[in-house]
């Protein structure tokens, strides 16, 4: 990697290639003839010359240069040379046909772009992807490309950081007080990911503007087909600029100035060109041509030094021969010396013998000596004989041995032949076996040797690729890192904006509801001029249409009023009557306001507490949490836990299935009522709206199973709603069944749903007692207007507020109810009256009061407030008192019922006594009245 | 300015015969196939002109299931009229209707105007209760009888108009407006005339 950059750091490398290209390019002269001419003639300073539209200090930072842009317009696909210039203010990368153009052909928004570089066909190609378009660009060299990419990244990061603080900044601080901003990534960190690419000065920056566009094939081809108008504008402008500069030399953009690079620059260029040539040769020698070149060089060089060399060699030869003769001479001399030595020795010996012979005094001695000598000679000849014999023997044995060796050699030859044969057989067999395989071993060997060279080449290629991929990988890591950082920042901003949005929505809802309320009041004003009435009517119509528009505007936002809530209840109840529609709208808006406002402050900490809650266990803490309401995501688990705890003793494996089996065996009258009620259950809920919904089938089974679970109750209208709510939360029907069992058998008093609903009626009386105690003023008011509350509250108790409260409040009531029991119903029923106490007190007509009481529970929008009333304002609420009151009222009610029975019996007796005559009389009386 | 009379009317009848639908059609001129079953009771009002008076109907719609019958006195107590509804496609519901008539005769306000509504007359091809039976029975108890369809808005207005006409005129009585609600409170005095 580093090596690559080192290579890249010398600008000549890039320069040379460019020179080559431009030299090859015949159109170059035609495009920039003026420039070339002026290059040599115009003296000037590079710094000044470099000033384009930017200031002097900005010039150093200015990111601009020629790149080839890939354009595929229709069938014409080509690389087109473009002058790219980065605009700091807009964070745009504008591109022009030439550096002299004023009107860009296009802009690339860098702030939202991501960058990519490809490894593969051409490693100088990189991509800028914006949400709307992907730009494929090609730099002059890999290094230039890396420089571009890195600079663009830096620019993007700078821009993202320097973006003027959004108005949400304050919100971020205030709302996310706990949030610690991400530590800004230091430069060093950046360095780690991607070593900074040094500026390839000649390829990018303002200087490059004065260079001819690289790879400008033909003028025509380079012209943008997409932007004919801009092209014309630019051309005209350039022409004008050129002409004017000749005239006064002071046009506003100083075109001529920068079009004409200074002399020294040209010099530099020439210098560089020279260097480049040098570099070129160096490069070449580095490559595989090296050996060839060396050889060539040798060949060239040999002609010159041959002469001298020949002389020396001859001399050496002569001298060497001289040495040889001399050495031989020495050898001969040495031989001669040896011979002479021997002769000398023999002579000496003879001399010694003769001396001894001469020394002998007498003949006898001399004879003796001779004899001795003769004996010696005889002995010696004998020895010679024996030695001869020995020699003969040895010769014989040698012959024997030789014969033996011959034999052995023959044997070896035989074995070798055998071996050869065997090898051949093996070879044959191997060939045979190898023939079975598609790639025979021998063939593979051949191929291996053949491809070895190829593979080596390939390895080289792969090494190159690896290097490229490393570069790419490093770049992409840097890119990912930066994009992630930007993403985090943007996400934070988005969060803050969403929070602000939520708040604004809440305010908006509030305003809207107030506006609607005002409209409603206006509408009800008795003495309104008719034209005003019309206006109000129209405004109301418009207001009712808002919903549709709003829904269309923000389909993506989950917080906005969606048609249905988490459990499939309609957010805005559908009413047919216009006036109610308005009311429903107002209420929905108020509910939304409350939800939106409480979301951050209340719901989130609650959710966190629920999230941190592990194993569930009965406790006062849990009771408190349940009263505040279970978050939607935890509700099924918690309900299941509550129900399981309480029906544990009743529950046995397969119990539910057995009950369902019973239902199949026998048909019973309750099933008719159940069938009648199934399509009429929670009709405002989308899960129950369709008769083919799986919820309906589950509800049927749950209710029928319950019939067999508790035949004394069987089926009572209202149980369908309880079961339906259980199904909505728990989904699974057996759980819902046990939830229903839990409610009816554990929570509700005996006879709540059985034949005469005695316990329900008792509870109405108990409730009146509590209301008189807790809200005496209201109770007095209701009594004054002869309001029978039981008409209103009876079904609140029987179905635990289903269809009487807005769904989010309903589920909160149920959360506490399932855990604590009927006391919760009393608390909430009282709270509902307390919540609206002032409103009821204001009404002075019994009919109005009834009409108000009919729907007032549904208009409650602030669930938190209601909860606080229920669980703190209504304290103390001792269970003992409730039970005592139930006992007392039950006795009273039963006494009354007995009395009623008595009256009934008496009436029957009277009827019988009076006979049929009375009936006729009644008819005639009616006829008279009609 | 015409005098307004408030008339308490209760609807009685077997479950699922269409009591709530009749009310819904009459008050809101709207029909919902799967209107929620009434539990306990529900309450609506509608004012219609009748002669030189305005009759404001306070309609108490009741639950049909038998076990809710024990609550019925709460609703028909102090009523000027009772609409007893049956389903012409269900013989059972006609039987239940007779039981209601009997109960009203026994415990209801004296002189309560009774109107019999044979609902779902749009389904006459699966009729179980012949029109003749209903007419004969109504005559025998001196009640208005009409076959209605809440779904197709047949005879709903007529039903209530008929009731209006059966209500005795106001001038003979002193306490008009909300007299019957006061009456309703006095549980034991069921024999007193309303209005």
């Amino acid at each position: 990697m580093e090596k690559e950059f080192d290579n890249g750091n010398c600008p000549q490398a890039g320069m040379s290639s460019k020179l080559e290209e431009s030299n090859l390019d015949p159109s170059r002269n035609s495009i920039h003839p003026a420039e070339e001419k002026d290059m040599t003639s115009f003296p000037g300073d590079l710094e000044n010359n470099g000033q384009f539209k930017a200031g002097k200090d900005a010039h150093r930072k200015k990111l601009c240069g020629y790149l080839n842009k890939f354009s595929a317009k229709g069938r014409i696909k080509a690389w087109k040379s473009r002058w790219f210039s980065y605009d700091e203010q807009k964070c745009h990368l504008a591109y022009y046909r030439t550096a002299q153009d004023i009107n860009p052909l296009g802009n690339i928004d860098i702030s939202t772009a991501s960058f990519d570089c490809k490894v593969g066909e051409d490693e100088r190609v990189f991509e800028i992807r914006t949400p709307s378009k992907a730009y494929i660009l090609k730099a002059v060299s890999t290094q230039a490309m890396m420089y571009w990419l890195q600079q663009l990244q830096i620019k993007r990061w700078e821009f993202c950081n320097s973006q003027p603080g959004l108005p949400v900044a304050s919100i971020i601080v205030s709302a996310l007080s706990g949030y610690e901003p991400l530590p800004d990534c230091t430069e060093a960190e950046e360095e780690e990911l991607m070593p900074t690419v040094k500026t390839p000065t000649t390829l990018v920056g303002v200087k490059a503007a004065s260079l001819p566009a690289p790879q400008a094939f033909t003028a025509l081809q380079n012209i943008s087909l997409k932007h004919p108008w801009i092209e014309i504008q630019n051309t005209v402008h350039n022409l004008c600029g050129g002409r004017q500069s000749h005239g006064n030399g002071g046009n506003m953009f100083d075109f001529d100035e920068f079009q004409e690079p200074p002399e020294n620059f040209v010099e530099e260029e020439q210098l560089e060109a020279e260097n480049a040539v040098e570099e070129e040769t160096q490069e070449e020698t580095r490559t595989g041509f090296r050996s060839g070149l060396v050889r060539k060089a040798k060949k060239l060089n040999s002609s010159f030094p041959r002469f001298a060399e020949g002389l020396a060699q001859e001399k050496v030869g002569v001298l060497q021969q001289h040495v040889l003769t001399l050495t031989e001479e020495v050898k001969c001399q040495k031989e001669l010396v040896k011979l002479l030595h021997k002769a000398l020795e023999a002579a000496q010996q003879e001399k010694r013998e003769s001396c001894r012979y001469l020394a002998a005094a007498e003949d006898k001695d001399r004879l003796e000596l001779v004899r001795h000598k003769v004996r010696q000679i005889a002995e010696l000849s004998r020895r010679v004989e024996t030695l001869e014999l020995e020699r003969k023997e040895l010769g014989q044995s040698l012959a024997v041995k030789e014969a033996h060796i011959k034999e052995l050699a023959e044997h070896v030859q035989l074995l070798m032949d055998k071996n050869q044969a065997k090898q051949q057989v093996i070879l044959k067999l191997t060939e045979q076996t190898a023939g079975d395989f598609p790639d025979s071993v021998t063939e593979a060997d051949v191929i291996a040797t053949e491809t070895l060279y190829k593979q080596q080449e390939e390895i080289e290629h792969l090494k190159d690729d690896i290097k490229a991929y490393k570069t790419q990988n490093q770049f992409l890591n840097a890119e990912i890192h930066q994009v992630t950082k930007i993403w985090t920042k943007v996400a934070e901003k988005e969060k803050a904006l969403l929070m602000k949005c939520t708040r604004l929505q809440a305010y908006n809802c509030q305003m809207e509801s107030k506006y609607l309320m005002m409209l409603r009041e206006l509408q009800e004003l008795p003495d309104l001029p008719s034209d005003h009435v019309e206006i109000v009517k129209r405004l109301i119509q418009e207001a009712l249409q808002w919903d549709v528009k709003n829904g269309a505007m923000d389909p993506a936002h989950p917080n906005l009023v969606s048609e249905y809530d988490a459990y499939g209840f309609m957010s805005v109840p559908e009413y047919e009557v216009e006036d109610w529609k308005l009311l429903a709208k107002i209420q929905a808006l108020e509910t939304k306001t409350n939800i939106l406002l409480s979301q951050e402050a209340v719901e989130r900490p609650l959710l966190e507490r629920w999230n941190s809650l592990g194993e569930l266990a009965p406790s006062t803490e849990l009771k408190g949490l349940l009263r505040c309401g279970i978050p939607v995501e935890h509700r099924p688990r918690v309900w299941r836990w509550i129900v399981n705890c309480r029906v544990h003793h009743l529950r046995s494996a397969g119990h539910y299935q057995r009950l369902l089996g019973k239902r199949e065996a026998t048909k019973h009258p309750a099933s008719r009522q159940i069938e009648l009620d199934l399509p009429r259950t929670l009709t405002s809920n989308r899960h129950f709206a369709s008769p083919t919904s799986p919820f309906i089938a589950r509800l049927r089974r749950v209710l029928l199973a319950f019939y067999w679970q508790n035949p004394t109750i069987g089926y009572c209208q209202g149980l369908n709603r309880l079961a339906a709510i259980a199904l909505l939360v728990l989904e699974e029907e057996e759980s819902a069944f046990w939830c229903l069992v839990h409610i009816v058998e554990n929570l509700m008093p005996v006879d709540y749903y059985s034949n005469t609903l005695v316990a329900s009626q008792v509870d109405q009386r108990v409730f009146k007692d509590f209301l008189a105690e807790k809200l005496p003023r209201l109770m007095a008011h209701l009594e004054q207007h002869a309001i029978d509350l039981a008409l209103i509250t009876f079904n609140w108790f029987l179905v635990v507020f289903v269809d009487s409260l807005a769904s989010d409040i309903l589920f909160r009531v149920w959360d506490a109810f399932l855990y604590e029991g009927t006391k919760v119903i009393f608390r909430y029923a009282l709270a509902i009256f307390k919540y609206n106490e002032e409103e009821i007190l204001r009404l002075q007509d019994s009919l109005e009061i009834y009409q108000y009481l009919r729907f007032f529970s549904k208009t409650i929008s602030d669930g938190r407030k209601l909860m606080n009333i229920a669980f703190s304002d209504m304290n103390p609420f001792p269970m003992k008192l409730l039970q005592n009151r139930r006992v007392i009222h039950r006795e009273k009610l039963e006494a009354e019922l007995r009395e009623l029975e008595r009256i009934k019996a008496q009436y029957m007796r009277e009827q019988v006594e009076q006979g049929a005559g009375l009936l006729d009389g009644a008819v005639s009386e009616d006829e008279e009245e009609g | 300015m015409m005098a307004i009379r408030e008339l308490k009317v209760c609807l009685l009848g077997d479950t699922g015969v269409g009591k709530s639908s009749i009310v819904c059609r009459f008050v809101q001129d709207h029909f919902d196939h799967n209107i929620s079953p009434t539990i306990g009771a529900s309450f609506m009002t509608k004012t219609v002109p009748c002669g030189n008076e305005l009759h404001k109907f306070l309609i108490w719609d009741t639950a049909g299931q038998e076990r809710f019958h024990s609550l019925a006195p709460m609703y028909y107590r102090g009523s000027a009229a009772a609409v007893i509804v049956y389903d012409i496609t269900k013989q059972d519901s006609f039987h239940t209707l007779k039981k209601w008539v009997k109960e009203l005769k026994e415990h209801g306000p004296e002189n309560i105007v009774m109107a019999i509504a044979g609902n779902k007359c749009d389904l006459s091809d699966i009729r179980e209760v012949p029109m003749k039976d209903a007419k004969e029975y109504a005559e025998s108890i001196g009640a208005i009888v009409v076959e209605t369809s809440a779904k197709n808005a047949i005879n709903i207005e007529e039903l209530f108009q008929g009731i209006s006409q059966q209500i005795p005129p106001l001038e003979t009585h002193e306490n008009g407006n909300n007299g019957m609600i006061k009456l309703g409170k006095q549980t034991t005095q069921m024999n007193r005339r309303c209005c």
Side-chain angles (χ1 to χ4, degrees), chain B residues 9-90:
Chain B
V9 176
C10 66
L11 274 94
L12 303 168
D14 204 357
T15 176
V17 296
K19 299 179 289 299
S20 301
S21 295
I22 288 174
V23 178
C24 191
R25 172 62 74 188
F26 178 59
V27 175
Q28 300 175 355
D29 196 21
H30 169 66
F31 178 76
D32 184 346
H33 222 290
N34 290 321
I35 197 164
S36 282
T38 312
I39 288 178
S42 86
F43 171 72
M44 288 202 201
T45 64
K46 174 156 177 167
T47 309
V48 288
C50 176
N52 57 354
E53 291 175 341
L54 282 177
H55 284 175
K56 185 165 195 175
F57 286 108
L58 321 180
I59 306 161
W60 285 97
D61 183 15
T62 64
Q65 203 190 6
E66 199 175 347
R67 70 186 66 183
F68 289 89
H69 284 190
S70 55
L71 301 170
M74 207 155 63
Y75 305 109
Y76 60 69
R77 177 190 301 159
S79 288
V83 178
I84 313 152
V85 188
Y86 72 97
D87 179 348
I88 65 156
T89 68
K90 297 237 163 60

Side-chain angles (χ1 to χ4, degrees), chain A residues 673 717 721 753 851 854, chain B residues 15 37 43 45 65 67 105:
Chain A
Q673 184 68 55
Q717 282 189 321
R721 298 192 204 181
Y753 301 97
Q851 246 167 347
R854 235 194 96 221
Chain B
T15 176
F43 171 72
T45 64
Q65 203 190 6
R67 70 186 66 183
K105 288 275 181 199

Side-chain angles (χ1 to χ4, degrees), chain A residues 576-577 580 672-673 676-677 679-684 689 691 712-721 753-757 761 783-788 790-792 794-795 798-799 803 845-847 850-851 854 897 900 903-904 907-908 911 919 922-923 925-927 929-930, chain B residues 6 8 14-17 27-28 30 32-45 56 58 60 63-68 70-71 73-75 77 90 92-93 102-107 110-113 120 139-143 165-166 168 178 181-182 185 190 193:
Chain A
E576 285 308 305
V577 180
W580 292 358
R672 189 184 146 247
Q673 184 68 55
L676 203 62
D677 286 351
R680 305 194 286 169
T681 306
L682 301 188
T683 45
S684 63
T712 45
I713 291 170
Y715 173 70
C716 174
Q717 282 189 321
L719 291 183
N720 57 336
R721 298 192 204 181
Y753 301 97
S754 61
N755 255 326
T756 49
L757 314 176
Q761 295 187 59
E783 275 185 346
Q784 187 199 331
H785 291 96
I787 304 295
D788 185 359
L791 295 173
I792 306 296
F794 182 81
N795 54 8
L798 200 74
V799 297
D803 284 343
D845 177 57
S846 63
L847 194 62
Y850 269 125
Q851 246 167 347
R854 235 194 96 221
L897 285 173
L900 208 69
I903 292 170
K904 210 172 178 178
Y907 178 84
M908 292 294 279
Q911 286 286 89
L919 202 71
V923 172
E925 200 182 301
D926 277 352
E927 276 166 354
E929 275 177 19
Chain B
E6 289 180 0
K8 182 175 174 183
D14 204 357
T15 176
V17 296
V27 175
Q28 300 175 355
H30 169 66
D32 184 346
H33 222 290
N34 290 321
I35 197 164
S36 282
T38 312
I39 288 178
S42 86
F43 171 72
M44 288 202 201
T45 64
K56 185 165 195 175
L58 321 180
W60 285 97
Q65 203 190 6
E66 199 175 347
R67 70 186 66 183
F68 289 89
S70 55
L71 301 170
M74 207 155 63
Y75 305 109
R77 177 190 301 159
K90 297 237 163 60
D92 284 357
S93 67
K102 199 173 154 221
E103 174 157 359
L104 282 173
K105 288 275 181 199
E106 288 169 17
H107 303 289
E110 213 173 299
N111 293 335
I112 186 168
V113 174
K120 308 196 187 175
E139 254 170 51
S140 75
I141 57 162
Q165 284 157 14
Q166 291 278 310
N178 46 21
I181 288 164
K182 277 176 186 159
K185 198 175 66 175
M190 282 185 290
R193 276 181 78 104

Side-chain angles (χ1 to χ4, degrees), chain A residues 694-756:
Chain A
F695 276 89
I696 299 277
R698 282 181 228 167
L699 182 62
R700 175 184 294 121
R701 286 195 292 274
V702 169
L703 292 174
L704 288 173
F706 186 79
Y707 178 89
W708 290 109
Q709 165 73 20
N710 194 336
T712 45
I713 291 170
Y715 173 70
C716 174
Q717 282 189 321
L719 291 183
N720 57 336
R721 298 192 204 181
L722 298 179
I725 293 293
L727 270 172
L728 280 178
V729 173
L730 298 167
E731 288 188 351
E732 196 246 316
E733 62 183 70
E734 192 171 344
S735 299
F737 166 76
W738 286 111
C739 183
L740 185 65
V741 172
H742 169 56
I743 294 168
V744 176
E745 297 187 0
N746 289 335
L747 300 178
M748 294 302 197
V750 184
D751 288 337
Y752 220 77
Y753 301 97
S754 61
N755 255 326
T756 49

Side-chain angles (χ1 to χ4, degrees), chain A residues 171-180:
Chain A
I171 296 170
I172 303 178
V173 175
S174 65
L176 305 169
S177 46
Y179 158 75
E180 263 178 62

Side-chain angles (χ1 to χ4, degrees), chain A residues 330-430:
Chain A
V330 167
K331 244 187 197 165
C332 288
Q333 296 290 334
K334 271 186 183 166
E335 204 86 358
L336 198 72
V337 168
K338 240 185 197 167
L339 283 171
L340 286 171
H341 247 292
K342 274 184 180 169
L344 184 70
E345 220 174 296
Q348 273 180 342
Q349 216 170 344
E350 214 171 307
K351 191 191 155 191
R352 243 189 342 260
E353 288 302 316
S354 346
C355 276
R356 212 186 283 169
Y357 185 70
L358 285 177
E362 294 168 33
D363 284 347
K364 205 187 166 183
D365 286 351
R366 280 178 190 170
L367 192 74
E368 190 64 29
L369 216 75
V370 168
R371 260 184 217 151
H372 183 69
K373 286 289 166 190
V374 168
R375 269 201 310 271
Q376 253 178 353
I377 289 163
E379 205 175 311
L380 281 168
S381 55
R382 227 177 23 250
R383 260 169 79 179
V384 166
E385 256 170 50
T386 49
L387 282 170
E388 191 74 18
L389 269 170
E390 241 170 74
R391 196 188 59 85
K392 256 181 194 164
E393 262 170 39
L394 282 168
Q396 268 171 358
S397 76
L398 184 73
V400 170
K401 295 268 185 227
E402 264 173 1
H404 190 66
I405 282 165
K406 224 177 183 178
E407 229 170 80
L408 284 170
E410 268 168 23
H411 191 66
V412 163
Q413 188 63 37
L414 206 79
L415 285 171
M416 265 168 68
D417 284 351
K418 246 185 187 171
N419 196 22
Q420 186 89 16
K422 275 179 183 169
Q423 267 180 351
Q424 267 171 356
V425 169
I426 287 167
L427 216 67
K428 255 185 191 170
L429 287 170
T430 327

